[in-house]
Amino acid sequence: MSQMFHLMNYARIGVGIQSLALASSAYLNALGYARDRKQGSSIKQWKDATAPRVPIIDHPDVRRMLLDMKSRVEGIRALAVKLTMHLDRAKAIRADHRRQGPRSSTTWGQVDLLVPLLKAYGSDQAFQICATAIQVYGGAGYLKDWPGRAVLPRLEDLLDLRGHQPHPGHGPGRVAS
């Protein structure tokens, strides 16, 4: 049984790290797109029909979405770093126990708390980040020129092992590519 829990903890950590990777990729791709895509004039010149078009990153709502995505990605990353710090401490304490005898430690308690949090929070927030990234691409049609970016939320939904229903966009029997 202990081996199974050991394996499951590392699988949960893996799901959390994969969620971080997908979320970070979605954010960075949306950021690059927002810097390149020009649409509309600056909010400062909204009455001037001849004003030059600006990158969509200059529009307040797009900037809000990007900042929201960035803060969520950094939150997942901070949670992963905190977990790995406690995991390293717990392993060092275990090695120390073998040499000097047992001492009380709350480090394993922190690991036991943070492992499911990283998996659950990471996968949930990564899906939200991927969905927001698609909103940043809103003016580009149905992402026909960027098929990999449209797949990000579906991939994240497949990583969500909490038993939630598949994303409605998947349809019955469809699997993300």
Side-chain angles (χ1 to χ4, degrees):
M1 270 314 252
S2 69
Q3 290 298 321
M4 182 196 70
F5 284 116
H6 184 73
L7 175 71
M8 285 306 295
N9 272 350
Y10 282 103
R12 288 180 181 133
I13 292 170
V15 169
I17 298 300
Q18 286 176 327
S19 297
L20 173 61
L22 281 169
S24 182
S25 176
Y27 164 68
L28 292 173
N29 282 317
L31 179 64
Y33 178 80
R35 287 180 176 155
D36 293 340
R37 171 88 171 151
K38 293 189 188 240
Q39 183 174 346
S41 59
S42 172
I43 195 165
K44 297 173 187 169
Q45 301 171 334
W46 66 278
K47 287 186 177 183
D48 184 6
T50 62
R53 302 297 170 232
V54 296
I56 63 172
I57 196 169
D58 291 343
H59 298 301
D61 192 45
V62 173
R63 186 171 292 262
R64 178 196 57 81
M65 288 189 283
L66 290 169
L67 287 172
D68 180 63
M69 287 189 291
K70 181 179 182 179
S71 65
R72 290 172 190 243
V73 168
E74 291 300 320
I76 299 168
R77 186 172 286 126
L79 189 59
V81 167
K82 184 171 179 72
L83 170 61
T84 56
M85 178 194 67
H86 283 295
L87 197 54
D88 288 345
R89 282 185 182 172
K91 287 180 181 179
I93 289 170
R94 183 180 352 168
D96 193 38
H97 283 199
R98 289 184 189 137
R99 286 188 302 243
Q100 299 176 2
R103 288 186 279 176
S104 65
S105 171
T106 60
T107 304
W108 279 112
Q110 288 291 314
V111 170
D112 291 342
L113 173 70
L114 292 175
V115 167
L117 279 177
L118 175 64
K119 184 210 149 290
Y121 179 77
S123 64
D124 185 53
Q125 292 303 309
F127 183 82
Q128 297 299 322
I129 291 165
C130 291
T132 304
I134 288 193
Q135 290 301 312
V136 173
Y137 297 119
Y142 189 72
L143 301 174
K144 64 181 178 185
D145 298 330
W146 298 283
R149 293 175 184 165
V151 153
L152 285 172
R154 291 183 294 186
L155 288 175
E156 179 51 40
D157 201 25
L158 289 175
L159 287 176
D160 188 4
L161 302 176
R162 289 174 283 157
H164 290 183
Q165 293 296 319
H167 188 272
H170 290 177
R174 288 180 54 196
V175 178
S177 52

